[in-house]
Amino acid sequence: MLSTRESPPVVHTLHSALDEARTQTDSLFEMVKPDSLYDRPIAERHRVVFYIGHLEAFDRNLLGDALRLPPSAEPEFDKLFAFGIDPVGGGLPSDQPADWPRLDQVRRYAGGVRRALDQALAAAPGDARLPQLLHVAIEHRQMHAETLAYMFHQLSLDCKIASASPASSSPAPAPPSRSHTIPIPAGLATLGRARRDDADFGWDNEYEAHQIAVPAFTIDEHMVTNRQFEEFIAAGGYDHRSLWTEDDWSWKNEQGICHPAFWKPAEGGWMVRTMFHEIPLPPDWPVYVSHAEASAYARWLGKALPTEAQWHRAAYGTPDGTERAYPWGAESPARDYGNFDFQSWDPAPVGAFPRNRSAFGVAGMLGNGWEWTSTPFEPFPGFQPFPFYPGYSANFFDGKHYVIKGGSARTARSMLRRSFRNWFQANYPYVYAGFRCAGS
């Protein structure tokens, strides 16, 4: 249990939030069988054991100076577990299990770092940097609670302990089999957040707030479903060269991609892998695909993925020109608004949360699956990198990553704020990310 002693109230509150985030990631590691902790479930990522050390090493490297921690007893582990990887250009890690420290060494290191941080945070630290740094530590760990989930999704079913599964979302009536197209009138979309007088936390790429004039367009009422994407496959969408960019076509052929990564061919149809089971493909769940696959589907319909500004306009805009904090209004996210904040391992049908609608009637824009946009991940005007984490965003302003918005069932509530931006490479198919189409 955390010690309150005389720690400043804001630091104590954030320390408690960090401890809650630790519980979330600890529970994820517990669901992987010990003999699978040196597996690499996704070729582009580190082995599982890395992340056991990484989460604590990140916190120590981030908070150590502000907390005036003594020199590290294991600086080589601080360095080894400091950074994850995001290979661009086809390069993949080639390390072997024997290249990593023993599990007992990693856990001893992680436990020691955590105890040292807790003791320092309980000792009434007065460093003015701490609130912002603690926000970074909390959301970094919450992000990993999601990335670890989709990584573990790719582990063989016999590598996981199914009893760790949380309850699924409440059953909901199935939506109409077809999504309507919603007209969105021309108007302004506010992207980002204002730096001046901003007392809340935002990552460096969320600043500076600015408005974009968005011409009138149309957008799908719902995210594209498994049923709809199955029609694309049946029509030979993966084989039509005209639907794919040169890079996406090369990736698809080199990797042998012919269906979504979460799908598995079965006699007479498809199965989908959930975290702990394989089940018949639920037709009204949103389909999870890469940006490349989403873009090809949109072209097949003569449409496109929405831009980041179009997505914002559809989600937060209103007919009278004002903008909302959330698609449904000002109320903070709650369970009956959507499938988010670790409610479930699985998506829900795209129409499962009637209250999750924007002022224009666009449904399900927060939770149940991130949504790809056509906008490359780039800095906003006035961008300033965090001095303590200069590469967090700037390292990915390379034209190869695309903005995704909205959140999934495994996205923490704090990251459902309007200004939050996520991003991934176009040819990365493992994220809990779907899409909807936009037209003129």
Side-chain angles (χ1 to χ4, degrees):
M1 180 177 294
L2 299 175
S3 170
T4 61
R5 291 209 273 177
E6 297 180 6
S7 184
V10 65
V11 172
H12 172 61
T13 298
L14 292 172
H15 189 187
S16 297
L18 176 61
D19 209 48
E20 291 175 8
R22 288 167 171 171
T23 299
Q24 185 65 240
T25 51
D26 288 350
S27 67
L28 284 166
F29 292 122
E30 290 170 1
M31 79 184 198
V32 180
K33 293 181 179 178
D35 59 1
S36 298
L37 290 172
Y38 283 79
D39 288 0
R40 191 198 310 278
I42 293 177
E44 293 89 345
R45 296 288 177 247
H46 277 307
R47 298 178 184 278
V48 176
V49 67
F50 164 82
Y51 299 94
I52 298 175
H54 169 66
L55 293 171
E56 311 308 329
F58 179 92
D59 289 352
R60 191 193 198 288
N61 292 332
L62 176 72
L63 298 166
D65 182 58
L67 290 174
R68 297 177 176 81
L69 293 182
S72 174
E74 297 180 281
E76 69 281 4
F77 279 13
D78 296 340
K79 182 177 180 180
L80 176 66
F81 295 114
F83 298 108
I85 48 178
D86 183 45
V88 175
L92 296 175
S94 59
D95 56 275
Q96 299 301 310
D99 297 329
W100 292 92
R102 298 191 317 271
L103 185 60
D104 65 309
Q105 294 176 307
V106 178
R107 285 179 164 156
R108 184 185 67 244
Y109 164 78
V113 167
R114 187 178 293 191
R115 286 190 295 274
L117 289 172
D118 284 346
Q119 290 169 4
L121 285 167
D127 196 298
R129 296 171 293 172
L130 265 177
Q132 184 184 41
L133 296 178
L134 282 167
H135 275 296
V136 168
I138 292 162
E139 290 205 358
H140 170 263
R141 190 174 289 263
Q142 289 172 331
M143 290 178 196
H144 271 293
E146 180 163 1
T147 60
L148 286 169
Y150 76 67
M151 281 180 57
F152 295 171
H153 212 121
Q154 299 302 317
L155 278 171
S156 298
L157 298 178
D158 59 4
C159 293
K160 293 173 283 193
I161 302 169
S163 60
S165 174
S168 295
S169 299
S170 300
S177 61
R178 285 290 175 185
S179 175
H180 297 290
T181 297
I182 304 290
I184 309 295
L188 296 175
T190 302
L191 274 62
R193 59 192 300 121
R195 195 181 308 276
R196 180 180 297 175
D197 300 326
D198 186 1
D200 296 322
F201 174 73
W203 292 91
D204 56 6
N205 66 75
E206 296 178 51
Y207 299 95
E208 182 71 33
H210 61 290
Q211 289 190 319
I212 295 179
V214 182
F217 66 101
T218 63
I219 195 166
D220 291 346
E221 177 186 8
H222 297 293
M223 294 176 70
V224 172
T225 64
N226 287 330
R227 177 192 287 115
Q228 291 170 298
F229 202 83
E230 191 174 11
E231 294 173 1
F232 169 74
I233 296 176
Y238 279 87
D239 301 319
H240 287 300
R241 175 65 184 83
S242 62
L243 301 177
W244 303 77
T245 68
E246 182 176 349
D247 287 346
D248 293 346
W249 182 256
S250 297
W251 163 76
K252 180 188 72 67
N253 289 335
E254 290 169 3
Q255 300 297 320
I257 306 296
C258 58
H259 58 77
F262 293 85
W263 293 22
K264 179 180 178 181
E267 185 175 352
W270 299 91
M271 303 291 283
V272 65
R273 175 184 284 187
T274 66
M275 183 63 83
F276 299 108
H277 306 282
E278 289 182 355
I279 64 173
L281 186 71
D284 293 311
W285 283 8
V287 65
Y288 289 164
V289 290
S290 67
H291 184 276
E293 293 161 297
S295 298
Y297 177 96
R299 292 189 194 99
W300 178 61
L301 292 182
K303 297 185 178 183
L305 300 180
T307 65
E308 184 176 9
Q310 286 176 325
W311 196 94
H312 265 257
R313 174 81 177 134
Y316 304 111
T318 65
D320 65 10
T322 60
E323 292 178 288
R324 294 175 167 181
Y326 300 100
W328 53 79
E331 298 87 355
S332 296
R335 289 185 67 92
D336 56 346
Y337 280 115
N339 184 18
F340 41 64
D341 203 34
F342 312 109
Q343 283 191 45
S344 172
W345 292 115
D346 304 321
V350 295
F353 295 91
R355 299 183 69 183
N356 191 341
R357 281 187 178 270
S358 76
F360 295 115
V362 187
M365 299 193 81
L366 286 187
N368 217 33
W370 292 94
E371 299 190 27
W372 289 108
T373 75
S374 62
T375 300
F377 181 57
E378 295 175 342
F380 288 154
F383 170 78
Q384 298 175 20
F386 282 156
F388 53 85
Y389 197 173
Y392 171 73
S393 300
N395 287 353
F396 304 96
F397 297 149
D398 57 6
K400 298 180 183 294
H401 294 76
Y402 289 84
V403 174
I404 60 175
K405 295 289 295 185
S408 80
R410 309 302 298 173
T411 301
R413 186 187 309 264
S414 67
M415 288 180 281
L416 299 176
R417 60 182 177 270
R418 191 172 73 183
S419 59
F420 187 82
R421 308 168 82 202
N422 204 348
W423 67 92
F424 283 94
Q425 295 182 50
N427 299 333
Y428 195 67
Y430 307 109
V431 189
Y432 298 142
F435 65 103
R436 67 184 79 220
C437 300
S440 56

